[in-house]
Protein backbone atom coordinates (compact mmCIF):
# COMPACT_ATOMS: atom_id res chain seq x y z
CA UNK A 1 0.00 0.00 0.00
CA UNK A 2 1.26 3.46 -0.86
CA UNK A 3 1.80 5.73 2.12
CA UNK A 4 0.97 9.41 1.75
CA UNK A 5 3.96 11.26 3.19
CA UNK A 6 1.82 14.36 3.81
CA UNK A 7 0.19 12.37 6.61
CA UNK A 8 3.47 12.32 8.57
CA UNK A 9 4.95 14.96 10.85
CA UNK A 10 8.73 15.11 11.42
CA UNK A 11 8.71 12.41 14.11
CA UNK A 12 6.61 9.94 12.13
CA UNK A 13 8.59 10.63 8.95
CA UNK A 14 11.81 9.87 10.84
CA UNK A 15 10.25 6.62 12.08
CA UNK A 16 9.17 5.79 8.53
CA UNK A 17 12.69 6.32 7.21
CA UNK A 18 14.19 4.34 10.09
CA UNK A 19 11.86 1.47 9.12
CA UNK A 20 13.53 1.54 5.70
CA UNK A 21 17.02 1.64 7.19
CA UNK A 22 17.53 5.35 6.50
CA UNK A 23 19.05 8.01 8.75
CA UNK A 24 16.97 10.83 10.35
CA UNK A 25 18.59 13.51 8.18
CA UNK A 26 16.99 11.87 5.12
CA UNK A 27 13.59 12.43 6.71
CA UNK A 28 14.51 16.07 7.27
CA UNK A 29 15.54 16.48 3.66
CA UNK A 30 12.32 15.01 2.34
CA UNK A 31 10.27 17.06 4.83
CA UNK A 32 11.92 20.20 3.49
CA UNK A 33 11.34 19.26 -0.10
CA UNK A 34 7.69 18.56 0.52
CA UNK A 35 6.74 21.46 2.73
CA UNK A 36 9.32 24.19 2.31
CA UNK A 37 9.50 23.83 -1.43
CA UNK A 38 6.14 22.24 -2.17
CA UNK A 39 7.69 19.37 -4.11
CA UNK A 40 5.70 16.22 -4.79
CA UNK A 41 7.98 14.56 -7.34
CA UNK A 42 10.66 12.40 -5.71
CA UNK A 43 12.84 12.71 -8.83
CA UNK A 44 13.03 16.47 -8.29
CA UNK A 45 14.49 15.93 -4.80
CA UNK A 46 17.98 16.18 -6.21
CA UNK A 47 20.04 15.73 -3.05
CA UNK A 48 18.43 12.35 -2.36
CA UNK A 49 20.30 9.34 -3.76
CA UNK A 50 18.67 7.83 -6.82
CA UNK A 51 18.36 4.45 -5.10
CA UNK A 52 16.39 6.03 -2.24
CA UNK A 53 14.20 7.94 -4.66
CA UNK A 54 13.35 4.69 -6.42
CA UNK A 55 12.57 3.07 -3.07
CA UNK A 56 10.31 5.97 -2.14
CA UNK A 57 8.49 5.83 -5.46
CA UNK A 58 7.68 2.19 -4.81
CA UNK A 59 6.10 2.69 -1.38
CA UNK A 60 5.15 6.34 -0.95
CA UNK A 61 3.64 9.39 -2.60
CA UNK A 62 2.93 13.05 -1.84
CA UNK A 63 -0.80 13.42 -2.28
CA UNK A 64 -2.51 16.70 -1.30
CA UNK A 65 -6.30 17.04 -1.67
CA UNK A 66 -7.36 18.17 -5.14
CA UNK A 67 -8.43 21.79 -5.65
CA UNK A 68 -11.70 21.63 -7.52
CA UNK A 69 -12.56 25.32 -7.42
CA UNK A 70 -10.64 28.52 -6.79
CA UNK A 71 -12.70 31.71 -6.51
CA UNK A 72 -11.37 35.25 -6.09
CA UNK A 73 -13.47 37.88 -4.33
CA UNK A 74 -13.49 41.56 -5.27
CA UNK A 75 -11.74 42.30 -1.95
CA UNK A 76 -8.87 39.91 -2.70
CA UNK A 77 -10.15 37.08 -0.51
CA UNK A 78 -9.61 33.78 -2.26
CA UNK A 79 -11.55 30.62 -1.58
CA UNK A 80 -10.33 27.13 -2.44
CA UNK A 81 -12.64 24.14 -2.58
CA UNK A 82 -11.05 20.72 -2.10
CA UNK A 83 -12.50 17.40 -3.11
CA UNK A 84 -11.79 14.95 -0.29
CA UNK A 85 -13.60 12.02 -1.87
CA UNK A 86 -16.96 10.30 -1.52
CA UNK A 87 -18.81 13.50 -2.33
CA UNK A 88 -17.17 15.50 0.46
CA UNK A 89 -15.79 18.95 -0.17
CA UNK A 90 -14.03 21.27 2.27
CA UNK A 91 -12.79 24.80 1.94
CA UNK A 92 -9.89 27.05 2.80
CA UNK A 93 -9.99 30.83 2.54
CA UNK A 94 -7.00 33.14 2.06
CA UNK A 95 -7.45 36.63 3.46
CA UNK A 96 -4.77 39.13 2.42
CA UNK A 97 -4.23 42.20 4.59
CA UNK A 98 -1.60 44.92 4.51
CA UNK A 99 0.67 43.34 7.10
CA UNK A 100 -0.23 39.67 6.92
CA UNK A 101 -1.85 36.90 4.91
CA UNK A 102 -4.15 34.58 6.80
CA UNK A 103 -5.25 31.17 5.61
CA UNK A 104 -8.39 29.81 7.25
CA UNK A 105 -8.49 26.02 6.96
CA UNK A 106 -10.94 23.19 7.67
CA UNK A 107 -10.44 20.18 9.92
CA UNK A 108 -13.59 18.13 9.28
CA UNK A 109 -16.04 17.56 6.44
CA UNK A 110 -19.17 18.87 8.15
CA UNK A 111 -19.44 19.13 11.92
CA UNK A 112 -21.36 17.13 14.51
CA UNK A 113 -21.81 19.95 17.01
CA UNK A 114 -24.79 21.57 15.33
CA UNK A 115 -24.52 25.17 16.50
CA UNK A 116 -27.79 26.81 15.55
CA UNK A 117 -26.25 29.72 13.57
CA UNK A 118 -23.67 27.72 11.56
CA UNK A 119 -24.21 26.35 8.07
CA UNK A 120 -21.47 23.72 8.51
CA UNK A 121 -23.25 22.44 11.60
CA UNK A 122 -26.54 22.32 9.75
CA UNK A 123 -25.03 19.96 7.18
CA UNK A 124 -24.21 17.29 9.75
CA UNK A 125 -20.96 15.41 10.20
CA UNK A 126 -19.32 13.44 7.44
CA UNK A 127 -15.80 12.65 8.61
CA UNK A 128 -12.55 13.84 10.11
CA UNK A 129 -9.95 15.13 7.69
CA UNK A 130 -6.64 13.30 7.55
CA UNK A 131 -3.37 15.08 8.35
CA UNK A 132 -2.64 15.21 4.60
CA UNK A 133 -5.99 16.84 3.96
CA UNK A 134 -5.45 19.43 6.68
CA UNK A 135 -1.84 20.35 5.88
CA UNK A 136 -2.59 19.81 2.18
CA UNK A 137 -4.84 22.90 2.22
CA UNK A 138 -1.80 24.97 3.18
CA UNK A 139 0.35 23.13 0.62
CA UNK A 140 -2.12 23.78 -2.18
CA UNK A 141 -2.84 27.38 -1.19
CA UNK A 142 0.88 28.18 -1.22
CA UNK A 143 1.10 26.73 -4.70
CA UNK A 144 -1.94 28.61 -5.92
CA UNK A 145 -0.57 31.86 -4.48
CA UNK A 146 2.81 31.07 -6.03
CA UNK A 147 4.27 31.77 -2.63
CA UNK A 148 6.80 28.96 -2.33
CA UNK A 149 10.39 30.21 -2.11
CA UNK A 150 11.46 31.09 -5.61
CA UNK A 151 7.84 31.59 -6.60
CA UNK A 152 7.14 34.44 -8.97
CA UNK A 153 5.31 36.54 -6.44
CA UNK A 154 6.64 37.08 -2.94
CA UNK A 155 4.76 40.29 -2.12
CA UNK A 156 3.78 40.34 1.51
CA UNK A 157 0.09 40.01 0.75
CA UNK A 158 0.75 36.75 -1.08
CA UNK A 159 2.59 35.09 1.80
CA UNK A 160 0.71 32.94 4.26
CA UNK A 161 1.99 34.35 7.55
CA UNK A 162 -0.92 33.20 9.73
CA UNK A 163 -3.10 30.11 9.83
CA UNK A 164 -6.43 29.92 11.63
CA UNK A 165 -8.29 26.64 12.11
CA UNK A 166 -11.65 28.34 11.75
CA UNK A 167 -12.95 26.76 8.58
CA UNK A 168 -15.31 23.83 8.50
CA UNK A 169 -15.43 21.52 11.47
CA UNK A 170 -14.36 21.43 15.10
CA UNK A 171 -10.55 21.03 15.25
CA UNK A 172 -10.61 19.63 18.77
CA UNK A 173 -13.03 16.88 17.75
CA UNK A 174 -10.26 15.74 15.37
CA UNK A 175 -7.47 16.36 17.81
CA UNK A 176 -4.91 13.70 16.83
CA UNK A 177 -4.78 14.76 13.18
CA UNK A 178 -5.01 18.43 14.07
CA UNK A 179 -2.01 18.19 16.41
CA UNK A 180 0.14 16.46 13.75
CA UNK A 181 -0.85 19.09 11.18
CA UNK A 182 -0.08 21.88 13.69
CA UNK A 183 3.37 20.40 14.32
CA UNK A 184 4.07 20.56 10.59
CA UNK A 185 2.95 24.20 10.49
CA UNK A 186 5.38 25.04 13.29
CA UNK A 187 8.30 22.86 12.13
CA UNK A 188 11.26 24.86 10.83
CA UNK A 189 11.83 22.23 8.18
CA UNK A 190 8.23 22.59 7.02
CA UNK A 191 6.27 25.86 7.29
CA UNK A 192 8.13 27.42 10.22
CA UNK A 193 5.17 29.47 11.45
CA UNK A 194 5.30 31.02 14.89
CA UNK A 195 2.97 29.50 17.52
CA UNK A 196 1.51 32.93 17.99
CA UNK A 197 0.47 33.07 14.36
CA UNK A 198 -1.39 29.77 14.37
CA UNK A 199 -4.82 29.87 16.01
CA UNK A 200 -7.14 27.01 16.87
CA UNK A 201 -10.79 27.96 17.25
CA UNK A 202 -12.97 25.73 19.38
CA UNK A 203 -16.55 25.67 20.50
CA UNK A 204 -15.22 24.57 23.89
CA UNK A 205 -14.36 20.86 24.11
CA UNK A 206 -12.85 21.11 27.56
CA UNK A 207 -10.81 17.86 27.81
CA UNK A 208 -9.38 18.41 24.32
CA UNK A 209 -8.41 21.99 25.24
CA UNK A 210 -6.26 20.52 28.01
CA UNK A 211 -4.71 18.04 25.61
CA UNK A 212 -3.96 20.73 23.04
CA UNK A 213 -2.28 22.77 25.76
CA UNK A 214 -0.06 19.82 26.66
CA UNK A 215 0.61 18.48 23.18
CA UNK A 216 0.94 21.55 20.99
CA UNK A 217 -0.04 24.91 22.47
CA UNK A 218 -0.86 27.54 19.88
CA UNK A 219 -3.02 30.67 20.07
CA UNK A 220 -6.56 29.86 21.17
CA UNK A 221 -9.93 31.28 20.15
CA UNK A 222 -13.05 30.10 21.95
CA UNK A 223 -16.47 30.50 20.37
CA UNK A 224 -18.43 31.91 23.29
CA UNK A 225 -21.48 33.54 21.66
CA UNK A 226 -23.54 33.80 24.87
CA UNK A 227 -22.99 35.15 28.39
CA UNK A 228 -24.89 32.41 30.25
CA UNK A 229 -25.62 28.68 30.06
CA UNK A 230 -29.29 29.15 29.19
CA UNK A 231 -28.59 30.93 25.92
CA UNK A 232 -25.36 29.10 25.16
CA UNK A 233 -27.10 25.72 25.49
CA UNK A 234 -29.36 26.89 22.68
CA UNK A 235 -26.72 28.39 20.38
CA UNK A 236 -23.79 26.03 21.05
CA UNK A 237 -25.32 22.70 22.18
CA UNK A 238 -21.95 21.26 23.30
CA UNK A 239 -22.35 23.70 26.21
CA UNK A 240 -24.73 21.18 27.80
CA UNK A 241 -21.78 18.82 28.12
CA UNK A 242 -19.14 21.43 28.98
CA UNK A 243 -20.94 24.36 30.64
CA UNK A 244 -19.42 27.76 31.31
CA UNK A 245 -18.34 26.87 34.85
CA UNK A 246 -16.01 24.28 33.24
CA UNK A 247 -15.12 26.27 30.13
CA UNK A 248 -13.82 29.38 31.90
CA UNK A 249 -11.34 27.45 34.11
CA UNK A 250 -10.25 25.47 31.02
CA UNK A 251 -9.37 28.79 29.37
CA UNK A 252 -7.33 29.77 32.41
CA UNK A 253 -5.52 26.43 32.38
CA UNK A 254 -4.78 26.83 28.67
CA UNK A 255 -3.14 30.18 29.29
CA UNK A 256 -0.59 28.58 31.60
CA UNK A 257 1.17 27.21 28.50
CA UNK A 258 -0.20 29.30 25.64
CA UNK A 259 2.12 31.34 23.42
CA UNK A 260 -0.11 34.39 23.94
CA UNK A 261 -1.25 35.73 27.28
CA UNK A 262 -4.92 36.00 26.34
CA UNK A 263 -7.71 33.91 24.89
CA UNK A 264 -9.76 35.38 22.06
CA UNK A 265 -13.48 35.02 22.64
CA UNK A 266 -15.44 34.92 19.42
CA UNK A 267 -18.96 36.24 19.66
CA UNK A 268 -21.35 36.08 16.72
CA UNK A 269 -23.70 39.07 16.72
CA UNK A 270 -27.30 37.87 16.37
CA UNK A 271 -29.96 40.55 16.20
CA UNK A 272 -32.14 40.56 19.33
CA UNK A 273 -30.67 37.26 20.57
CA UNK A 274 -27.32 37.94 22.24
CA UNK A 275 -26.56 41.59 21.45
CA UNK A 276 -28.20 43.61 24.28
CA UNK A 277 -26.28 45.99 26.57
CA UNK A 278 -27.14 43.82 29.57
CA UNK A 279 -25.63 40.78 27.82
CA UNK A 280 -22.38 42.67 27.21
CA UNK A 281 -22.22 43.45 30.94
CA UNK A 282 -23.00 39.83 31.79
CA UNK A 283 -20.13 38.78 29.51
CA UNK A 284 -17.75 41.03 31.41
CA UNK A 285 -18.62 39.40 34.68
CA UNK A 286 -18.45 35.89 33.17
CA UNK A 287 -14.95 36.46 31.76
CA UNK A 288 -13.61 38.55 34.66
CA UNK A 289 -10.95 36.03 35.62
CA UNK A 290 -9.79 35.12 32.11
CA UNK A 291 -7.30 37.42 30.37
CA UNK A 292 -9.07 37.84 27.04
CA UNK A 293 -9.90 39.82 23.94
CA UNK A 294 -13.23 39.82 22.17
CA UNK A 295 -13.77 39.39 18.49
CA UNK A 296 -17.32 40.26 17.49
CA UNK A 297 -18.42 38.48 14.31
CA UNK A 298 -21.36 39.99 12.45
CA UNK A 299 -23.64 37.01 11.72
CA UNK A 300 -23.41 35.77 8.14
CA UNK A 301 -26.80 34.54 7.01
CA UNK A 302 -27.24 31.40 4.91
CA UNK A 303 -30.35 29.93 3.30
CA UNK A 304 -32.79 28.78 5.95
CA UNK A 305 -30.93 30.38 8.88
CA UNK A 306 -33.30 31.63 11.60
CA UNK A 307 -31.23 34.70 12.59
CA UNK A 308 -30.49 38.20 11.38
CA UNK A 309 -27.20 40.09 11.71
CA UNK A 310 -27.17 42.72 14.46
CA UNK A 311 -27.27 46.26 13.05
CA UNK A 312 -23.87 47.99 12.81
CA UNK A 313 -24.80 50.54 15.48
CA UNK A 314 -25.78 47.79 17.93
CA UNK A 315 -22.46 46.01 17.33
CA UNK A 316 -20.60 49.25 17.95
CA UNK A 317 -22.50 49.91 21.18
CA UNK A 318 -21.86 46.31 22.38
CA UNK A 319 -18.15 46.73 21.61
CA UNK A 320 -18.05 50.04 23.47
CA UNK A 321 -19.37 48.45 26.66
CA UNK A 322 -16.66 45.79 26.55
CA UNK A 323 -13.96 48.32 25.74
CA UNK A 324 -15.08 50.73 28.44
CA UNK A 325 -14.28 47.93 30.90
CA UNK A 326 -10.78 47.69 29.43
CA UNK A 327 -11.29 44.58 27.29
CA UNK A 328 -9.74 44.84 23.82
CA UNK A 329 -12.57 44.26 21.35
CA UNK A 330 -12.41 44.02 17.59
CA UNK A 331 -15.21 43.56 15.12
CA UNK A 332 -14.47 41.16 12.29
CA UNK A 333 -14.65 42.67 8.86
CA UNK A 334 -16.93 40.63 6.69
CA UNK A 335 -14.85 39.55 3.73
CA UNK A 336 -15.41 37.46 0.66
CA UNK A 337 -19.18 37.92 0.89
CA UNK A 338 -19.55 37.71 -2.87
CA UNK A 339 -18.04 34.20 -2.95
CA UNK A 340 -19.65 32.84 0.24
CA UNK A 341 -16.26 32.79 1.94
CA UNK A 342 -17.31 34.47 5.16
CA UNK A 343 -17.44 32.69 8.53
CA UNK A 344 -20.18 30.12 8.68
CA UNK A 345 -20.76 30.10 4.94
CA UNK A 346 -18.07 27.64 3.99
CA UNK A 347 -18.73 24.83 1.52
CA UNK A 348 -22.37 25.49 1.38
CA UNK A 349 -22.96 22.07 -0.05
CA UNK A 350 -21.17 19.24 1.67
CA UNK A 351 -22.61 15.78 1.36
CA UNK A 352 -25.14 15.27 4.10
CA UNK A 353 -24.83 11.71 5.26
CA UNK A 354 -28.55 11.42 5.57
CA UNK A 355 -29.35 12.85 2.17
CA UNK A 356 -26.60 11.55 -0.06
CA UNK A 357 -26.95 14.42 -2.47
CA UNK A 358 -23.29 15.37 -2.38
CA UNK A 359 -22.25 14.90 -5.96
CA UNK A 360 -25.10 16.95 -7.26
CA UNK A 361 -24.71 19.69 -4.74
CA UNK A 362 -20.97 20.07 -5.29
CA UNK A 363 -21.65 20.56 -8.97
CA UNK A 364 -24.21 23.20 -8.12
CA UNK A 365 -21.75 24.87 -5.80
CA UNK A 366 -19.09 25.05 -8.49
CA UNK A 367 -21.57 26.54 -10.93
CA UNK A 368 -22.38 29.22 -8.40
CA UNK A 369 -18.72 29.97 -7.87
CA UNK A 370 -18.00 30.15 -11.55
CA UNK A 371 -20.76 32.71 -11.82
CA UNK A 372 -19.07 34.80 -9.11
CA UNK A 373 -15.72 35.19 -10.76
N1 LIG B 1 -15.73 24.71 15.16
C1 LIG B 1 -14.89 25.77 15.54
C2 LIG B 1 -14.16 26.42 14.38
C3 LIG B 1 -14.93 26.63 13.12
S1 LIG B 1 -16.21 27.82 13.17
C4 LIG B 1 -15.65 26.80 16.36
O1 LIG B 1 -16.87 26.71 16.43
O2 LIG B 1 -15.00 27.65 16.95
C5 LIG B 1 -15.28 29.35 13.16
C6 LIG B 1 -16.05 30.54 13.72
O3 LIG B 1 -17.12 30.94 12.84
C7 LIG B 1 -16.69 30.23 15.05
O4 LIG B 1 -16.50 31.26 15.97
C8 LIG B 1 -18.13 30.11 14.67
O5 LIG B 1 -18.96 30.31 15.78
C9 LIG B 1 -18.28 31.17 13.62
N2 LIG B 1 -19.49 31.04 12.81
C10 LIG B 1 -20.15 29.92 12.47
N3 LIG B 1 -21.22 30.21 11.74
C11 LIG B 1 -21.25 31.56 11.60
C12 LIG B 1 -22.13 32.47 10.92
N4 LIG B 1 -23.16 32.03 10.22
N5 LIG B 1 -21.85 33.78 10.97
C13 LIG B 1 -20.76 34.22 11.65
N6 LIG B 1 -19.89 33.41 12.30
C14 LIG B 1 -20.15 32.10 12.28
FE1 LIG C 1 -19.19 23.08 14.34
FE2 LIG C 1 -17.95 25.41 14.87
FE3 LIG C 1 -20.10 25.32 13.22
FE4 LIG C 1 -20.41 24.91 15.84
S1 LIG C 1 -19.70 26.82 14.84
S2 LIG C 1 -21.33 23.69 14.18
S3 LIG C 1 -18.54 23.80 16.35
S4 LIG C 1 -18.10 24.37 12.86
Amino acid sequence: MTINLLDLDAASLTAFFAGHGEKPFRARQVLRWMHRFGESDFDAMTDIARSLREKLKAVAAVLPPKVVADALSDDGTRKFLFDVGAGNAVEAVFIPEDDRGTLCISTQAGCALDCSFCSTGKQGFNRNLTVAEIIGQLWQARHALDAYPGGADMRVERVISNVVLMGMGEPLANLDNTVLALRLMLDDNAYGLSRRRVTVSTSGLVPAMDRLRDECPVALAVSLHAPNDGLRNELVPINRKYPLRELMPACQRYLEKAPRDFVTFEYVMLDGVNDADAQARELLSLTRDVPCKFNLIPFNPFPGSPYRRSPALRIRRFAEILMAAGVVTTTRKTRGDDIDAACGQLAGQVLDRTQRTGRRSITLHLDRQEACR
Side-chain angles (χ1 to χ4, degrees):
M1 208 183 76
T2 303
I3 181 161
N4 185 356
L5 296 189
L6 291 185
D7 271 322
L8 308 181
D9 71 344
S12 18
L13 198 64
T14 305
F16 169 81
F17 273 81
H20 287 84
E22 298 287 342
K23 298 237 159 57
F25 83 95
R26 291 288 176 211
R28 247 179 345 259
Q29 281 177 313
V30 171
L31 197 69
R32 273 194 216 137
W33 276 114
M34 290 192 296
H35 295 289
R36 258 207 210 162
F37 302 107
E39 191 53 70
S40 56
D41 177 1
F42 293 124
D43 279 331
M45 301 181 183
T46 42
D47 54 0
I48 311 275
R50 181 186 293 271
S51 55
L52 177 54
R53 282 188 253 150
E54 293 304 323
K55 203 156 46 165
L56 285 173
K57 279 195 269 178
V59 295
V62 180
L63 301 168
K66 282 200 181 62
V67 179
V68 288
D70 176 349
L72 183 63
S73 161
D74 290 342
D75 66 14
T77 302
R78 191 156 163 188
K79 181 168 83 165
F80 304 100
L81 183 71
F82 299 92
D83 178 1
V84 291
N88 289 313
V90 298
E91 298 190 345
V93 179
F94 179 69
I95 306 151
E97 289 172 286
D98 291 343
D99 58 343
R100 73 185 114 172
T102 303
L103 187 72
C104 173
I105 63 176
S106 298
T107 51
Q108 297 183 310
C111 181
L113 300 185
D114 199 22
C115 299
S116 58
F117 51 84
C118 174
S119 72
T120 305
K122 292 292 139 213
Q123 291 149 17
F125 176 65
N126 292 300
R127 69 171 175 82
N128 282 333
L129 298 188
T130 63
V131 179
E133 288 164 343
I134 300 173
I135 204 69
Q137 296 169 60
L138 184 48
W139 197 95
Q140 289 286 30
R142 272 184 99 177
H143 271 289
L145 295 164
D146 204 4
Y148 270 104
D153 197 337
M154 291 298 287
R155 281 176 299 173
V156 64
E157 66 268 27
R158 301 293 294 264
V159 173
I160 300 168
S161 58
N162 295 53
V163 174
V164 295
L165 280 65
M166 292 186 187
M168 297 172 64
E170 168 54 52
L172 298 192
N174 183 14
L175 187 67
D176 292 343
N177 291 347
T178 293
V179 163
L180 291 177
L182 288 172
R183 289 194 180 133
L184 283 169
M185 290 173 208
L186 304 178
D187 196 309
D188 281 339
N189 290 310
Y191 298 88
L193 295 173
S194 134
R195 278 179 199 281
R196 299 156 57 86
R197 289 174 172 268
V198 176
T199 303
V200 166
S201 174
T202 179
S203 56
L205 302 188
V206 166
M209 285 167 67
D210 288 331
R211 270 191 60 198
L212 182 69
R213 176 195 72 158
D214 294 337
E215 293 178 21
C216 192
V218 292
L220 184 72
V222 173
S223 294
L224 198 51
H225 307 318
N228 55 58
D229 283 324
L231 183 57
R232 196 163 191 267
N233 286 345
E234 226 179 88
L235 301 179
V236 185
I238 194 67
N239 191 72
R240 294 184 196 136
K241 193 160 179 195
Y242 304 114
L244 293 169
R245 65 176 174 280
E246 292 181 27
L247 182 56
M248 292 301 122
C251 292
Q252 287 172 313
R253 289 196 297 279
Y254 193 87
L255 288 176
E256 289 163 11
K257 293 197 189 162
R260 289 189 180 267
D261 55 7
F262 60 89
V263 166
T264 302
F265 286 124
E266 296 162 281
Y267 196 92
V268 64
M269 297 300 291
L270 304 169
D271 187 20
V273 175
N274 65 353
D275 62 351
D277 290 358
Q279 288 163 315
R281 287 191 287 269
E282 204 181 346
L283 266 183
L284 287 168
S285 93
L286 171 72
T287 57
R288 206 177 28 218
D289 298 328
V290 184
C292 64
K293 293 186 179 175
F294 269 88
N295 188 213
L296 307 182
I297 315 174
F299 171 64
N300 292 306
F302 52 91
S305 63
Y307 304 108
R308 287 184 314 264
R309 179 183 296 178
S310 305
L313 256 178
R314 178 92 300 271
I315 299 179
R316 204 179 312 155
R317 172 74 190 134
F318 198 91
E320 276 165 7
I321 295 173
L322 299 175
M323 286 188 293
V327 180
V328 173
T329 303
T330 50
T331 300
R332 194 171 296 174
K333 272 186 273 170
T334 297
R335 306 215 20 184
D337 252 356
D338 52 337
I339 53 167
D340 278 0
C343 307
Q345 292 181 316
L346 297 184
Q349 322 286 342
V350 174
L351 171 61
D352 183 327
R353 258 206 313 194
T354 54
Q355 293 176 7
R356 296 280 166 203
T357 54
R359 285 278 171 222
R360 213 177 107 239
S361 48
I362 285 175
T363 314
L364 291 174
H365 193 80
L366 298 185
D367 288 348
R368 195 148 52 90
Q369 286 197 323
E370 288 301 323
C372 290
R373 281 195 199 207

